[in-house]
Amino acid sequence: MTKTLIINGETVSIDVDESMPLLWFLRDRLEFTGTKFGCGSGLCGACTVHLNGQAIRACVTPVGSLADQSITTIEGLSDNGDHPLQKAWLDNRVPQCGYCQAGQIMNAASLLSQNTQPSDQDIEMAMQGNICRCGTYQRIKKAIRDAADELAKEA
Amino acid sequence: MSNLTRRSFLKSATAGTSGLMLGITIPASALAKDKPFKQDEFNPNAFIHLTEDGKTTIYCGRCEMGQGISTALPAAVADEMEADWEQVTVLQAEGNEDKYGPQATGGSASIRLMYIPMREAGAKAKFMLEAAAAKTWDTDIKNCYAKKHFVFLKNSDKKLSFGELASLAATMPAPENPKLKEKSDYAYIGKDLKRHDQDDVVVGKRTYGVDTKLPGLKYAAIVHCPVLDGKLKSVDKSAALAIKGVSDVVEIERLDVPYGSLGGVAVVADNSWTAQQGVKALKVEWDAGKNGIYDTKTYKQQLIANVEKPAQVMDARGDATTGLKNAKNTHSATYTGGHLSHSPMEPNASVVWVQDDSCEVWASTQSPADIQKVLGQFLKRKPKDIKVNVMMAGGAFGRKFKCDYVHEAAAISQQVKAPVQLIWSREEDMRTGYYHSTSAQHLQAGFDDEGNVDSWLQRVAFPSINSLFDKSVKRAPKGATKDVFNHPFGIENMQVESGEALAHTRIGWYRAVYAIFYGFAFSSFADELAHKAGMDPFEFLNKLYDNNTNPKQAEQIERSKAVLALAADKSGYHQRDKLPKGQAIGLAVHYSFNSYVAMAVHVDVDGDNIKVLNVDCAVDCGQILNTDGATAQMEGAVVMGMSLSLYTEIVFRDGQVVNSNFHNYPVLRINEMPNVRVHLIDSDKEPTGLGEPGVSPFPPALTNAIFAATGKRYRDLPIKPISV
């Protein structure tokens, strides 16, 4: 029987070679192109998605290993692009080319789900796997702090 | 189940069917309202399209790669047009230089080239809208004025929306010389604007070259000949072809034009991953050819030797040789730098569909006209018959000016008779690029009796970009060394020499280009001379500028000194004696690409542990278009400057690049990000670009700071090379 997994709340058949990394299943099979290819080796973070809410690197995760698991991509992070991080990213005008930003946001969301009030050092530790060649790190840090403050207000 | 599958059809860049279409020199007769317009019937430079519902599309002809040009220039159009920016959609124009003006996006030139033409396009549109309103109200145009998507009748409550006026405006004659707005009236120019595309980015909807999907699309991966001018010796395709999903293996011959493929073998499959597996399964042997000897370690030693002896004189004033011989004091130093790979986060990617009677391209690119030219040559078709959809580039930094990857996709598409998406692996991107030159520079200076630097010899050696176009080029030509000779320090006896440096790999423009190593040498050496003279580096730099009495450089000197003073002030440089032990502030200032940038870098050094605390950047780029965009460019330039100061270097052995991915080509990460403060000078001068000028002051400001903190002088970049 074909294995399935859940992507952004919808059940999907794993109808490809099970060793195909999740990244290419998303991009080429499902044509969810928000998740980006950067290095193919888990070194840059551009392909970060959530597995049951926690950040993973889709480029090194075989899709067959995810049977019955729940995956969230940037397209499914919020209903209307209104996750506090997405709002903070816009308020701080973070993206330049924007290519790495889906991965940055997904990684930051995973951080905030575990640590609602991260220190600067916590942010640096959690986010150092995500490369931005345009150099938006200063704004990323600020946006994460702002989103954490916003979440604290909501709580 | 599986209803997630979707086809993202590409947005056509052709909007609407009627309304005002306006560019720089469009004859008004072409805008007749009842004639459904086809863009192709119009020419040229059609930047604005306004429809009857008021929707306004502004086309950006320059390529977007994250530098923000597709916000800055269209906002200037909207400003002159009196359009409401909230009602404007920006679209990337396709490749068509007849229509949109020069599109090759590099050299920080977009704003310099297009600021006036695009404002004029906006001003013409406004005039035509006002003329349409005047006709409607049967009054003189002087009684009408446009504001925020409406035209108002003076001294009345009458107004007409842009949408209501669109059809009639299209019949109005375009003015020859439209009046541009005064600075005090700007609504968007010089303001703090959000990029038009950030909303899409944060939800994953911004599409890049790598994201193009078409019905029937095939996916390709490639391995290149790892050595310039090498050849394919043999390839065993059987294991690759045995993989389920692999349909073809295509050999691509080296196309010996500057932006053609190095030559390689591509595997075509029904998805990218399978194609990559296919490439891994190929058994390929290459004949390295004469460049198989290239070894950057020995090459750099050779460059050093070539600058530490007399070389070819490129420019001279006064007599530096005698000046140095008679000098009271002299100082000399040699500086080096390594090859750099641009490594944008989006590797080279494009989709090309070659058919018998058409060829269409979707590519992240900095130069659509070069794609048209190269594919035209390759396919033996007219450049204008190659349709290029310019996609958002996920970073470029000079790399995507060259279209070797597009040529390859075309070669594959031609062979497999289908649209093909070729995405380079990170390894191929890093190993078979167009690299920033490795370099060596030797400087000698002599002081006169009053302690002024009156003689300066600078010998440079680096493989030249010109070698791409002419393989006989053996040294940097005058076009590449003139920036040294024209540097605004006031030196009486100046000599610039160019040492031999034959290229063994492809050399390409990298963000800031020559300014990277020239800026490093000038600002480092000036700092060394200040210490030699026992002077405060800030005072010493000012003295170097003040000694320049050439009236043609007076403005350059004034503006250089102003940014230097601003960066120093903001950083607390003048109070630096109060800093704790191990901390210091270094200064550098460099003029490049018609812009002025000074940086003050505040470091905390403990042994080998170099921490950059603050960077104060002072910028004079004339009239700023978007203050947020200018600030972002400087923040990014600091990050790139810091990466290349500390870590990034491409190493060749046996003709091949040894680095392969971000583990052995480490770039700056968030944990080392300093606090960057950008100080923009409010200026009315002609606007210039900022994509590149921020990179060059960082490395010398950093090494000058480290010297001030520790007494250790770093003259070789990167200062923490990784062993690969």
Side-chain angles (χ1 to χ4, degrees), chain A residues 10 13 19 21 27-28 31 36 38-39 43 86 90 93 95-98 128 133-134 137-139, chain B residues 1 3 6-7 192 198-199 202 208 210-211 213 272-273 342-343 426 628 632 635-636 661 668-669 676:
Chain A
E10 297 201 37
S13 296
S19 58
R27 291 185 55 83
D28 290 354
E31 298 188 358
K36 301 301 188 208
C39 70
L43 297 166
Q86 288 168 316
L90 291 177
R93 298 174 183 177
Q96 290 189 28
C97 87
Q128 61 177 281
R133 280 288 271 168
C134 295
Y137 297 131
Q138 177 160 301
R139 296 184 189 212
Chain B
M1 204 183 280
N3 59 357
R6 70 190 169 89
R7 286 278 167 197
D192 184 33
Q198 287 183 335
D199 293 314
V202 302
Y208 302 79
V210 79
D211 295 328
K213 298 290 180 190
S272 285
W273 179 74
H342 311 78
S343 297
R426 176 57 59 190
D628 182 66
E635 291 166 359
N661 208 318
L668 201 79
R669 292 174 182 265
V676 180

Side-chain angles (χ1 to χ4, degrees), chain B residues 339-354:
Chain B
H339 280 303
L340 301 172
S341 157
H342 311 78
S343 297
M345 293 318 297
E346 179 199 36
N348 295 327
S350 73
V351 167
V352 181
W353 193 356
V354 178

Side-chain angles (χ1 to χ4, degrees), chain B residues 442-520:
Chain B
H442 180 70
L443 284 80
Q444 294 179 17
F447 291 92
D448 66 10
D449 295 347
E450 278 90 52
N452 292 307
V453 179
D454 69 348
S455 304
W456 185 293
L457 169 71
Q458 188 156 343
R459 286 196 205 109
V460 306
F462 54 89
S464 168
I465 290 167
N466 297 57
S467 62
L468 271 184
F469 309 96
D470 176 0
K471 283 182 185 171
S472 70
V473 169
K474 274 197 297 209
R475 68 184 78 241
K478 200 161 173 170
T481 62
K482 65 176 173 27
D483 288 352
V484 179
F485 189 66
N486 295 333
H487 192 282
F489 285 166
I491 313 284
E492 200 181 327
N493 305 301
M494 176 93 178
Q495 185 155 311
V496 181
E497 300 177 14
S498 182
E500 197 168 299
L502 194 66
H504 296 285
T505 184
R506 300 187 297 184
I507 304 296
W509 299 275
Y510 178 105
R511 187 181 191 178
V513 202
Y514 310 125
I516 297 172
F517 41 79
Y518 291 158
F520 183 56

Side-chain angles (χ1 to χ4, degrees), chain B residues 209-485:
Chain B
V210 79
D211 295 328
T212 307
K213 298 290 180 190
L214 292 175
L217 187 64
K218 295 198 172 197
Y219 297 83
I222 192 164
V223 61
H224 295 96
C225 179
V227 184
L228 175 64
D229 292 332
K231 283 192 175 64
L232 180 67
K233 207 193 275 178
S234 68
V235 55
D236 178 351
K237 306 171 182 173
S238 53
L241 286 166
I243 295 172
K244 188 177 168 232
V246 169
S247 59
D248 301 88
V249 176
V250 179
E251 291 172 30
I252 296 165
E253 275 185 47
R254 167 135 174 78
L255 180 63
D256 203 6
V257 301
Y259 306 155
S261 174
L262 271 177
V265 184
V267 175
V268 185
D270 55 13
N271 65 77
S272 285
W273 179 74
T274 302
Q276 291 159 19
Q277 299 309 106
V279 164
K280 284 179 192 159
L282 293 172
K283 293 184 187 71
V284 196
E285 277 190 276
W286 306 100
D287 178 355
K290 64 179 175 21
N291 289 319
I293 55 151
Y294 191 41
D295 179 301
T296 36
K297 200 172 169 188
T298 53
Y299 186 81
K300 210 189 271 180
Q301 291 307 313
Q302 189 58 53
L303 291 184
I304 293 168
N306 291 353
V307 295
E308 290 186 345
K309 65 185 181 192
Q312 186 169 313
V313 178
M314 309 304 284
D315 264 311
R317 64 173 175 264
D319 182 350
T321 312
T322 308
L324 285 164
K325 205 158 68 183
N326 298 338
K328 194 165 179 196
N329 273 305
T330 60
H331 184 63
S332 66
T334 298
Y335 303 91
T336 68
H339 280 303
L340 301 172
S341 157
H342 311 78
S343 297
M345 293 318 297
E346 179 199 36
N348 295 327
S350 73
V351 167
V352 181
W353 193 356
V354 178
Q355 297 182 78
D356 289 343
D357 55 354
S358 68
C359 174
E360 189 160 1
V361 174
W362 294 261
S364 296
T365 179
Q366 292 177 248
S367 186
D370 279 299
I371 293 178
Q372 292 178 308
K373 199 169 136 190
V374 171
L375 262 53
Q377 271 176 290
F378 172 66
L379 297 167
K380 299 187 174 54
R381 298 182 191 183
K382 287 184 196 137
K384 72 172 182 53
D385 292 339
I386 312 296
K387 181 174 163 63
V388 180
N389 301 286
V390 177
M391 304 300 288
M392 172 75 188
F397 314 120
R399 176 60 182 88
K400 292 170 187 170
F401 209 99
K402 292 73 136 182
C403 58
D404 49 344
Y405 54 101
V406 185
H407 158 233
E408 289 161 356
I412 303 164
S413 174
Q414 189 183 35
Q415 193 129 341
V416 305
K417 301 193 187 312
V420 168
Q421 178 170 68
L422 172 65
I423 304 177
W424 285 23
S425 67
R426 176 57 59 190
E427 288 77 8
E428 289 301 299
D429 191 273
M430 206 168 272
R431 286 176 169 165
T432 50
Y434 290 76
Y435 302 99
H436 171 67
S437 305
T438 183
S439 64
Q441 295 177 86
H442 180 70
L443 284 80
Q444 294 179 17
F447 291 92
D448 66 10
D449 295 347
E450 278 90 52
N452 292 307
V453 179
D454 69 348
S455 304
W456 185 293
L457 169 71
Q458 188 156 343
R459 286 196 205 109
V460 306
F462 54 89
S464 168
I465 290 167
N466 297 57
S467 62
L468 271 184
F469 309 96
D470 176 0
K471 283 182 185 171
S472 70
V473 169
K474 274 197 297 209
R475 68 184 78 241
K478 200 161 173 170
T481 62
K482 65 176 173 27
D483 288 352
V484 179
F485 189 66

Side-chain angles (χ1 to χ4, degrees), chain B residues 94-144:
Chain B
E94 65 175 13
N96 189 336
E97 295 201 330
D98 290 343
K99 198 160 160 184
Y100 299 106
Q103 292 182 288
T105 307
S108 302
S110 294
I111 284 172
R112 218 163 60 229
L113 291 174
M114 299 307 292
Y115 177 61
I116 297 298
M118 291 193 73
R119 283 177 66 197
E120 283 177 347
K124 283 182 185 180
K126 181 184 77 169
F127 179 93
M128 292 162 79
L129 287 158
E130 288 174 346
K135 189 168 184 183
T136 307
W137 292 322
D138 193 19
T139 184
D140 192 287
I141 190 168
K142 287 192 187 114
N143 298 323
C144 306

